[in-house]
């Protein structure tokens, strides 16, 4: 009877976050009238995200109590998210490449050379003082 009812239930965590999946799983076990901890644990492991399952199995001693299995999985998930937060916080930031300030603004014609719109006296003054020609 358990198998028949369980077959109507989506069998994988998929893209759900762990907390949502646990809540859904518990709700489904109540609907399917599954009360035995070892059966719950087996179905939970069968449908759990592969990354969390691998970490759970690597703990070496899987609890026989369903609530303890849930607690272990939550701790694994918290550790993973904490690690990702640290990694993202300390990841090198992509630096924007700056090649100097542009010599024109929206009011200047970008194809026009800066010296083209200066008076001859001003050009001579800039050249005599060794100044750069900036957009004015």
């Amino acid at each position: 009877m358990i198998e028949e009812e369980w077959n109507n239930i989506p069998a994988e965590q998929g893209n759900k976050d762990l907390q949502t999946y646990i809540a859904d799983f518990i709700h489904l076990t109540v609907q399917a009238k599954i009360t035995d901890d070892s059966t719950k644990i087996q179905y939970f492991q069968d449908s759990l995200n592969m990354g969390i399952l691998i970490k759970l199995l690597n703990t070496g001693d899987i609890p026989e109590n369903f609530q303890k299995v849930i607690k272990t999985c939550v701790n694994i998930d918290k550790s993973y998210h904490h690690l990702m937060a640290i990694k993202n916080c300390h990841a090198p930031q992509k630096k924007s490449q700056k090649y100097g300030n542009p010599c024109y603004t929206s009011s200047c014609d970008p194809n026009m050379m800066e010296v083209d719109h200066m008076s001859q006296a001003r050009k001579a003054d800039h050249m005599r003082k060794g100044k750069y020609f900036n957009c004015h």
Side-chain angles (χ1 to χ4, degrees):
M1 176 160 184
I2 291 173
E3 291 288 333
E4 292 170 13
E5 295 201 28
W6 193 257
N7 287 334
N8 296 326
I9 296 170
E12 293 188 10
Q13 179 181 350
N15 292 334
K16 292 181 185 177
D17 66 90
L18 184 63
Q19 296 293 339
T20 302
Y21 184 67
I22 290 170
D24 290 349
F25 184 87
I26 291 171
H27 177 74
L28 296 173
T29 58
V30 170
Q31 281 183 332
K33 298 179 177 136
I34 300 172
T35 57
D36 178 54
D37 273 1
S38 62
T39 305
K40 287 182 191 179
I41 292 168
Q42 185 60 50
Y43 280 126
F44 187 72
Q45 288 177 355
D46 289 347
S47 59
L48 193 58
N49 172 296
M50 187 59 72
I52 297 172
L53 178 61
I54 290 169
K55 296 279 188 192
L56 176 66
L57 295 174
N58 283 337
T59 62
D61 186 29
I62 299 172
E64 294 179 15
N65 178 291
F66 180 66
Q67 290 302 320
K68 289 182 181 178
V69 170
I70 296 293
K71 185 177 180 179
T72 303
C73 289
V74 167
N75 287 337
I76 290 168
D77 192 53
K78 281 183 185 178
S79 295
Y80 170 77
H81 286 291
H82 183 73
L83 175 65
M84 290 297 103
I86 290 171
K87 182 180 174 186
N88 290 337
C89 182
H90 296 295
Q93 300 295 320
K94 185 176 179 182
K95 294 181 180 178
S96 61
Q97 294 180 351
K98 291 188 177 182
Y99 299 106
N101 295 329
C103 68
Y104 60 90
T105 63
S106 60
S107 63
C108 295
D109 178 3
N111 297 320
M112 184 164 130
M113 296 202 51
E114 297 141 16
V115 296
D116 290 343
H117 60 77
M118 294 175 76
S119 68
Q120 289 296 329
R122 188 146 189 195
K123 285 184 208 176
D125 184 52
H126 269 66
M127 290 192 300
R128 189 172 15 89
K129 292 180 181 177
K131 290 184 176 180
Y132 290 100
F133 291 95
N134 292 321
C135 187
H136 297 279

